[in-house]
Amino acid sequence: MRALSLICGLMLMVLPLLAQESRPTSKPSPQTKSKPAEEKLERDPLALKAYKAITGRLYSPRQAGLKSVQFRFSVSYAFPDGRKLSYGPYLVDWDVKQGHNMKFVGDEQTDSVKPSQMSAGFVERVINDFVGWLPGNVVEGRHVSMNEKKQIVIRIPKHEEGRTNLRRLVLTADKAGRLGSYSILGVKDYPLMI
């Protein structure tokens, strides 16, 4: 009996101590959100030099003093199964200060892609074909490397991937060292434009 009362007494003394230890003794430290590590850009000096050499030989109306232009364009797709889709024509007004304004010309077809539905990257490429590239803008903030075929590969960084379907641009020089062709590749290297 005496042992039982001793055990009960010890338990009565230990329980408050255990309860005290389980309570936090200080304020919890605030959770700090860590910023994701910024992606380090891959910038191959040989690829950048080759890029400057190729683009330096391009004639650019914009760099030659073009102030404004108006043009029309249509988009046609041909599928492997023989189907063809055509959209447009679209009218583009461009000027050096305000950029571009694009709209349908004539009757709008029910299945046509509206200018607002086109990807900004696609419209930018079409406009650049008419008014000329600004070569620095294409590589700015992007990875630049040279592949085994001596092609210049411009890859967008991870943080840009959610904003566009574009993943890589591949520029190939011709025998004279000019821009022979460029490919715009999307997710899984799907060709968006060549």
Side-chain angles (χ1 to χ4, degrees):
M1 184 81 162
R2 210 168 190 199
L4 184 61
S5 64
L6 184 63
I7 291 173
C8 288
L10 282 174
M11 287 193 55
L12 288 172
M13 288 193 309
V14 171
L15 283 176
L17 289 174
L18 289 174
Q20 273 186 338
E21 282 186 26
S22 67
R23 281 190 240 142
T25 56
S26 64
K27 288 183 179 179
S29 61
Q31 293 285 340
T32 55
K33 290 185 179 180
S34 61
K35 198 175 183 183
E38 198 166 311
E39 184 178 358
K40 187 175 186 226
L41 291 179
E42 179 185 336
R43 311 282 285 174
D44 180 359
L46 290 175
L48 286 167
K49 185 177 178 182
Y51 177 78
K52 284 181 184 175
I54 285 175
T55 56
R57 302 180 99 183
L58 287 172
Y59 172 75
S60 171
R62 186 188 317 208
Q63 290 178 316
L66 180 69
K67 301 289 183 215
S68 64
V69 68
Q70 186 179 74
F71 61 89
R72 293 177 188 216
F73 77 97
S74 298
V75 180
S76 297
Y77 295 99
F79 295 94
D81 63 5
R83 290 180 300 135
K84 292 183 181 179
L85 295 175
S86 295
Y87 300 115
Y90 304 100
L91 176 69
V92 177
D93 284 307
W94 177 89
D95 78 45
V96 72
K97 289 182 181 171
Q98 296 181 347
H100 73 276
N101 181 26
M102 188 167 70
K103 61 185 178 187
F104 276 109
V105 179
D107 296 331
E108 187 176 320
Q109 300 160 6
T110 55
D111 63 343
S112 280
V113 176
K114 294 176 178 56
S116 61
Q117 294 171 316
M118 291 184 180
S119 82
F122 173 76
V123 174
E124 182 184 321
R125 304 276 171 309
V126 169
I127 291 170
N128 284 342
D129 284 346
F130 283 90
V131 302
W133 280 15
L134 288 177
N137 290 354
V138 178
V139 294
E140 197 173 300
R142 295 181 173 160
H143 301 278
V144 183
S145 61
M146 185 102 53
N147 67 14
E148 64 280 350
K149 296 178 184 175
K150 301 292 183 198
Q151 296 170 310
I152 300 159
V153 179
I154 302 163
R155 187 171 46 86
I156 69 162
K158 296 278 185 207
H159 71 271
E160 267 187 62
E161 286 185 358
R163 296 189 304 227
T164 178
N165 287 332
L166 169 70
R167 294 295 179 265
R168 296 190 310 143
L169 291 146
V170 180
L171 284 65
T172 307
D174 65 10
K175 290 180 182 177
R178 298 171 302 215
L179 179 62
S181 69
Y182 71 96
S183 303
I184 301 173
L185 306 175
V187 178
K188 296 183 180 177
D189 283 344
Y190 184 83
L192 302 175
M193 189 188 307
I194 298 174

